[in-house]
Amino acid sequence: MASGPKLFGERVALQYESWYATAQGRRADAEEKDALGSLLECFPRARSVLEVGCGTGHFTRWLGHQGLGAVGLDISLAMLAQVQVLDGVPLVRSDALRLPFADGAFDLVAFITTLEFLERPRNALAEALRVARQGLLLGVLNRWSPLGLLRRIVGLQRSTVYDTARFFGSAELRRLLRSVAGEEARVVWRQALLPRGWPRALGQIPWGGFIGMALVVDSAR
Ligand SMILES: C[S@@+](CC[C@H](N)C(=O)[O-])C[C@H]1O[C@@H](n2cnc3c(N)ncnc32)[C@H](O)[C@@H]1O
C-alpha cells in the first residue's frame, strides 16, 4: 500500500478541497456529515476531538462547528499547508501510530477516510484509544458498496488516491474495533451514499458508499 506522505503530496493537496465543490462531492459531503453528526449523538458529553489524518481540515472544521474543540493531525505537510490557507484550526504534524499526546488528552479521536490509507490500521486505532477518553468516530469507504465491488471486479485504475486505499466492510470494521477495545465495547454505525433509488426497506443492509461508526468506550466520563 502506498504510504500517506508520499501519496498525499502537493499535487493531490492542491486539488483535494475542490472535489467537495463538485456535484458528487456536495452529495458525499452532505450525506457523510449527516451520518457522522448522528453518531456524535453517542457522545453527548464530548467537548474535544482530535482528527487523525485531517488532510485539508475539511472535517476538522466541521467538527469544530459541532461545538467541539477540534485539532487536526496529519503526516503530510502538503495537506496541512492547505489547512493553513483555508483557515486556522490547530494543527499537528505527526504519525497516526505515534500521537504526541498524553493518555486521555481528548474526549474523541476521529478518522474520516483515513484508516484506508494506514499500513497498520489496528495499531493506529489502539494508539487513538490511548488518547481518547470517550471513544472513536470513524468514517470509511465501504468495501461492499457498488463502488467497492466494482473496484474488486474490474481492478484498480490507479488514477486517484482512492485507488490505493484499502476499503473496509462494516462487519470487518466492527470486528477490528472490538479487537482493540474489547468484545463488550459499544459500537454504533450509520451509512451514507446508498445507491440512488435504494428501497427504504433495505436501509439496514450496509451497501452505502460510506460507513460511519462510533466506538463508545466510556460514556460516563
Ligand atoms: C483521504 S485523506 C482524508 C482527509 C480528511 N480526513 C477528509 O476526509 O477530507 C487521508 C489523509 O490521511 C493522511 N495520512 C496517511 N497516512 C497517515 C499517517 N500515518 N499518519 C497521519 N496521517 C496520515 C494523509 O496525509 C491524508 O491527508
Side-chain angles (χ1 to χ4, degrees):
M1 191 191 305
S3 68
K6 265 188 251 155
L7 194 59
F8 290 91
E10 197 166 68
R11 188 181 60 81
V12 169
L14 288 172
Q15 296 165 0
Y16 192 83
E17 277 287 327
S18 60
W19 180 79
Y20 287 111
T22 65
Q24 194 191 6
R26 281 200 303 272
R27 177 183 175 218
D29 188 42
E31 291 195 22
E32 290 172 12
K33 285 177 178 167
D34 208 41
L36 294 170
S38 143
L39 290 170
L40 277 179
E41 291 171 14
C42 298
F43 305 103
R45 281 174 289 280
R47 298 287 173 268
S48 61
V49 61
L50 171 70
E51 189 196 357
V52 175
C54 65
T56 55
H58 189 85
F59 286 95
T60 327
R61 288 191 290 282
W62 174 79
L63 289 163
H65 295 153
Q66 307 314 297
L68 296 167
V71 174
L73 177 145
D74 205 285
I75 201 163
S76 160
L77 268 183
M79 294 295 268
L80 291 175
Q82 289 306 301
V83 188
Q84 276 157 351
V85 170
L86 292 163
D87 61 25
V89 293
L91 293 175
V92 179
R93 183 182 184 222
S94 192
D95 188 336
L97 291 173
R98 284 179 297 278
L99 301 175
F101 299 105
D103 296 1
F106 293 88
D107 290 327
L108 305 178
V109 175
F111 293 81
I112 319 289
T113 58
T114 289
L115 218 54
E116 299 91 318
F117 296 93
L118 302 181
E119 283 168 25
R120 285 183 283 153
R122 189 177 185 283
N123 296 39
L125 290 172
E127 174 66 348
L129 265 184
R130 182 185 67 74
V131 304
R133 281 189 292 271
Q134 298 182 15
L136 307 183
L137 178 71
L138 304 175
V140 299
L141 299 167
N142 184 6
R143 190 173 196 200
W144 302 110
S145 65
L147 172 64
L149 288 169
L150 190 70
R151 281 164 40 103
R152 290 162 71 88
I153 295 163
V154 303
L156 305 175
Q157 302 304 310
R158 304 266 168 218
S159 57
T160 77
V161 288
Y162 290 99
D163 291 331
T164 66
R166 181 199 185 285
F167 287 23
F168 287 87
S170 66
E172 178 190 13
L173 186 59
R174 195 181 301 111
R175 276 196 304 276
L176 187 60
L177 286 173
R178 290 213 165 115
S179 78
V180 175
E183 287 304 314
E184 302 310 312
R186 182 172 164 230
V187 174
V188 181
W189 71 280
R190 298 281 182 273
Q191 61 181 323
L193 302 174
L194 278 163
R196 288 189 197 278
W198 185 251
R200 286 177 75 87
L202 300 180
Q204 284 312 301
I205 300 178
W207 270 40
F210 179 88
I211 300 287
M213 213 168 263
L215 172 74
V216 184
V217 290
D218 186 354
S219 53
R221 275 193 273 182

